[in-house]
């Protein structure tokens, strides 16, 4: 088995009352707490030194979860000064010490599971099951990268050479990294980026998504408690274009690790490239997708639908890996659609804190408005296949979008990624399969992809021809386990290397070859 071995994160089975009850009781103690996030920098920041923004709960907009004090341009620039000054010291810190801090964060997150799950739910609108998975993934990132860093950075690698010459390859940090993250995995992705960059010897300026700064703030507090120096990892909550542009425009930033939309990645790429006199930058970008699944006539319709429901609607479709376009062979399409309609009727949309809820809210009103505009357009064209009912008693106060499915002619009809519970269905004839593959590849994205078929040759051939980072056969297409399914896309979906994989840390490192005439 390839890759570092490490302790797995602790699981919680919410279906077992003896595990569920104590967790709920502990979460209840955090339900009414008001949080405040602010810049956590190498230097103290006055309470009133920046704009403030309220954080409202996505499933009940009347509830204020807390507030965020945004980082100013001047503070962001001074934070870069501190990170720049910290680099030589941090890079020279033994990797075992860096790894121990990162591992301790994993332990602390497990200790604070109930509080972090409450934040995921109240700030991010996450279901309980999604909250457990999210924190487990973050813990796994910490432990995996800690062990992997010790393997890679622990000692120099001896290389061959002629008699009288020694050759060694040494790994070190690259410099200051900006870590810019999205709201849909407010703890896992945020934490994964930060600890990977830091454990490799780089000071980090962490810029969380505007929508989920409270969770990020709590993680950085825990990281500092775990022993991370305050000038090595700093938190810069704030507006993307403002704080982000200070970071990506500063010539002292060696690299940006980014997860978010493809358009934003392109803005950052241009800003990095435009810097006068700056070293050539590293950009690690994990972006959006137009993820498809192909279902042929040999697939099991019931299994297909169960996997489609999860892939398209879990987390309200707000996963980069979520299924957007389902290609179904014409001879089974009516049967699959009929079962899908029945399954969508059974979905319960509402308060994510209830175990019986299948689909929670979307993140905010902007997101809801954008998704509704797309839905209205497709409804106007008369292509609705199925729609889950919204019960106003559970959804009136939040930003909910009912899961919905439409038929479309092909993936080309979609202008952009629709980041919510909207499934598009395309019927294809067996003779058209090559065209289907060309269409999917031709769209330029390449994140996740699925194939459902009991014909092994068909499934293998499709999996081989599709250009996507993560291919799933006869299962759902969401979820990637750290160290098991390294995750990330290609083309418009990302640069690689894959998060949670054995090569991820290499991109945060410099390699130095030392040759000595002995
Ligand atoms: P987004 O691109 O709007 O924002 C991501 C981050 O970029 C935020 O922190 C934001 O403040 C910042 N930002 C915005 N403008 C910026 C600028 N000009 N300069 C620097 N930073 C800037 O994305 P989002 O809405 O937060 O997240 C959803 C997107 O993320 C979807 O497209 C989804 O597919 C993608 N995503 C991809 C992965 C993956 O692993 N491939 C994982 C999760 C989410």
């Amino acid at each position: 088995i390839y890759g570092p071995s490490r302790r797995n994160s602790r699981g919680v089975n919410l279906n077992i009352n003896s595990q569920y009850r104590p967790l709920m009781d502990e979460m209840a103690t955090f339900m009414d707490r008001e949080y405040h996030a602010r810049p956590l920098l190498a230097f103290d920041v006055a309470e009133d030194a920046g704009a403030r923004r309220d954080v409202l709960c996505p499933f009940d907009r009347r509830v204020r979860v807390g507030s965020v004090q945004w980082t100013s341009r001047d503070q962001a620039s001074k934070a870069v000064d501190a990170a720049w000054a910290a680099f030589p010291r941090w890079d020279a810190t033994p990797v075992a010490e860096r790894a121990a801090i990162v591992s301790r964060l994993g332990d602390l997150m497990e200790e604070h599971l109930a509080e972090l799950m409450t934040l995921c739910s109240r700030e991010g609108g996450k279901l309980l099951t999604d909250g457990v998975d999210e924190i487990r993934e973050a813990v796994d990132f910490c432990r995996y990268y800690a062990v992997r860093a010790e393997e890679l950075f622990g000692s120099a690698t001896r290389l061959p050479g002629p008699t009288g010459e020694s050759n060694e390859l040494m790994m070190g940090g690259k410099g200051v990294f900006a870590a810019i993250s999205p709201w849909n995995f407010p703890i896992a992705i945020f934490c994964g980026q930060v600890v990977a960059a830091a454990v490799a010897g780089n000071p980090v300026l962490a810029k969380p998504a505007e929508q989920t700064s409270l969770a990020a703030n709590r993680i950085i507090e825990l990281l500092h408690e775990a022993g991370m120096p305050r000038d090595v990892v700093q938190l810069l909550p704030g507006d993307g274009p403002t704080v982000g542009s200070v970071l990506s425009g500063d010539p002292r930033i060696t690299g940006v690790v980014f997860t978010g939309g493809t358009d934003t990645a392109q803005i950052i790429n241009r800003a990095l490239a435009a810097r006068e006199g700056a070293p050539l930058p590293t950009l690690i970008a994990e972006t959006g997708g137009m993820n498809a699944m192909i279902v042929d006539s040999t697939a099991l319709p019931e299994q297909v639908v169960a996997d489609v429901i999860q892939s398209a609607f879990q987390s309200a479709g707000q996963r980069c890996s979520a299924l957007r376009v389902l290609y179904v062979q014409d001879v089974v399409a009516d049967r699959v659609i009929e079962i899908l309609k029945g399954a969508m009727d059974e979905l319960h949309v509402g308060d994510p804190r209830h175990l019986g809820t299948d689909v929670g809210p979307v993140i905010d009103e902007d997101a809801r408005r954008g998704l509704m505009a797309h839905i209205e357009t497709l409804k106007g064209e008369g292509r609705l296949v199925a729609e889950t009912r919204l019960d106003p008693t559970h959804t009136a106060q939040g930003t909910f979008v009912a899961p919905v499915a439409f038929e479309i002619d092909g993936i080309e009809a979609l202008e952009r990624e629709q980041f919510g519970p909207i499934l598009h269905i395309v019927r294809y004839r067996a003779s058209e399969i090559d065209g289907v593959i060309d269409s999917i590849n031709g769209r330029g994205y390449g994140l996740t992809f699925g194939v459902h078929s009991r014909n092994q040759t068909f499934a293998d051939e499709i999996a081989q021809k599709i250009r996507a980072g993560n291919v799933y056969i006869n299962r759902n297409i969401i979820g990637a386990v750290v160290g098991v399914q390294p995750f990330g896309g290609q083309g418009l979906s990302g640069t690689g290397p894959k998060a949670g994989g054995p090569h991820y840390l290499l991109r945060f490192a410099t390699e130095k070859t030392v040759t000595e005439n002995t």
Side-chain angles (χ1 to χ4, degrees):
I1 293 180
Y2 185 45
S5 66
R6 88 292 173 188
R7 195 158 40 99
N8 274 332
S9 56
R10 185 160 49 91
V12 182
N13 189 336
L14 298 172
N15 296 316
I16 298 176
N17 211 29
S18 59
Q19 295 187 27
Y20 170 74
R21 253 302 120 225
L23 182 63
M24 288 307 105
D25 291 346
E26 204 186 336
M27 283 179 70
T29 63
F30 297 103
M31 277 300 168
D32 299 323
R33 187 174 288 191
E34 273 226 5
Y35 282 83
H36 181 57
R38 63 198 169 84
L40 297 175
L41 306 178
F43 48 92
D44 287 334
V45 170
E47 280 280 332
D48 53 358
R52 272 187 183 235
R53 187 189 139 126
D54 283 344
V55 178
L56 303 182
C57 175
F59 56 87
D60 187 346
R61 307 299 290 176
R62 296 167 304 181
V63 174
R64 202 176 84 120
V65 186
S67 60
V68 184
Q69 182 177 330
W70 283 14
T71 313
S72 68
R73 284 178 166 277
D74 183 48
Q75 288 162 354
S77 181
K78 288 198 176 109
V80 182
D81 297 343
W84 176 256
F87 173 54
R89 188 191 84 239
W90 182 242
D91 189 33
T93 302
V95 65
E97 225 174 277
R98 301 196 304 249
I101 295 171
V102 164
S103 286
R104 262 199 303 278
L105 172 64
D107 298 345
L108 284 173
M109 286 192 290
E110 279 190 336
E111 277 171 36
H112 291 79
L113 174 77
E115 181 183 13
L116 297 176
M117 278 185 61
T118 313
L119 269 171
C120 276
S121 150
R122 295 182 67 218
E123 186 185 36
K126 292 216 162 215
L127 295 189
L128 296 176
T129 43
D130 284 345
V132 171
D133 290 350
E134 165 106 22
I135 291 145
R136 291 197 69 193
E137 186 175 11
V139 172
D140 284 335
F141 276 140
C142 289
R143 293 184 182 151
Y144 184 87
Y145 293 145
V147 176
R148 186 71 182 133
E150 293 209 57
E151 286 175 359
L152 288 170
F153 296 79
S155 55
T157 307
R158 299 276 310 264
L159 299 171
T163 311
E165 181 181 283
S166 91
N167 289 293
E168 285 192 337
L169 187 65
M170 296 170 175
M171 309 277 288
K174 270 196 159 149
V176 179
F177 263 80
I180 304 179
S181 51
W183 48 264
N184 69 326
F185 285 94
I187 293 183
I189 291 181
F190 172 78
C191 172
Q193 291 181 342
V194 169
V195 299
V199 82
N202 307 290
V204 184
L205 301 152
K207 161 45 198 112
E210 292 84 331
Q211 297 90 335
T212 51
S213 307
L214 302 178
N217 190 90
R218 197 68 193 99
I219 296 302
I220 298 301
E221 283 175 352
L222 293 176
L223 184 57
H224 289 158
E225 192 181 322
M228 185 64 79
R230 296 183 69 93
D231 55 352
V232 172
V233 174
Q234 304 177 74
L235 178 76
L236 292 82
D239 164 58
T242 310
V243 178
S245 66
V246 173
L247 299 181
S248 50
D250 192 306
R252 294 167 299 173
I253 298 289
T254 309
V256 175
V257 50
F258 169 81
T259 308
T262 305
D263 294 348
T264 315
Q266 277 159 342
I267 293 173
I268 293 171
N269 194 24
R270 282 194 290 272
L272 288 172
R275 299 175 308 166
E276 290 284 334
L280 294 176
T282 299
L283 174 62
I284 303 167
E286 296 170 37
T287 56
M290 199 76 93
N291 312 310
M293 179 188 282
I294 293 178
V295 176
D296 82 353
S297 59
T298 68
L300 290 172
E302 289 79 6
Q303 191 198 339
V304 168
V305 169
D307 289 339
V308 166
I309 292 277
Q310 269 193 328
S311 304
F313 304 132
Q314 191 172 326
S315 315
Q318 300 173 112
R319 286 179 177 236
C320 51
S321 53
L323 175 62
R324 309 293 177 206
V325 187
L326 175 68
Y327 284 87
V328 195
Q329 194 175 331
D330 53 357
V331 289
V332 285
D334 286 340
R335 176 86 184 114
V336 168
I337 287 174
E338 186 195 333
I339 303 174
L340 180 70
K341 277 183 185 172
M344 286 177 66
D345 277 346
E346 294 298 312
L347 290 177
H348 182 75
V349 186
D351 190 329
R353 296 168 303 176
H354 299 159
L355 258 193
T357 300
D358 301 298
V359 180
V362 297
I363 188 69
D364 58 19
E365 189 49 34
D366 279 354
R368 199 187 73 85
R369 215 175 296 124
L371 294 165
M372 291 313 293
H374 180 73
I375 290 171
E376 288 316 312
T377 306
L378 288 178
K379 275 188 179 168
E381 293 168 7
R383 319 213 52 186
L384 181 66
V385 167
E387 186 171 22
T388 300
R389 202 178 67 85
L390 279 191
D391 177 349
T393 46
H394 301 296
T395 57
Q397 305 303 338
T399 46
F400 290 91
V401 174
V404 62
F406 292 96
E407 279 207 50
I408 58 170
D409 295 329
I411 200 166
E412 297 81 0
L414 299 176
E415 254 174 54
R416 50 175 49 248
E417 176 192 38
Q418 294 293 332
F419 206 61
I422 306 176
L423 175 68
H424 306 89
I425 302 174
V426 182
R427 292 172 194 250
Y428 75 92
R429 285 195 290 273
S431 60
E432 293 169 340
I433 191 65
D434 289 342
V436 167
I437 293 166
D438 288 348
S439 284
I440 297 169
N441 284 341
R443 207 61 191 76
Y445 291 90
L447 193 50
T448 61
F449 171 80
V451 53
H452 261 278
S453 172
R454 278 182 288 169
N455 177 340
Q456 190 70 45
T457 313
F458 178 83
D460 290 345
E461 221 179 284
I462 302 270
Q464 194 268 327
K465 285 182 179 163
I466 283 290
R467 287 197 290 276
N470 289 65
V471 173
Y472 298 89
I473 301 173
N474 291 331
R475 54 154 282 179
N476 70 56
I477 66 166
I478 53 169
V481 177
V482 173
V484 177
Q485 292 128 354
F487 187 78
Q490 49 184 267
L492 292 172
S493 295
T495 58
K498 285 172 176 293
H503 308 138
Y504 192 59
L505 293 186
L506 292 171
R507 203 62 191 283
F508 294 90
T510 42
E511 293 176 88
K512 188 189 280 180
T513 309
V514 179
T515 298
E516 187 177 347
N517 182 359
T518 50

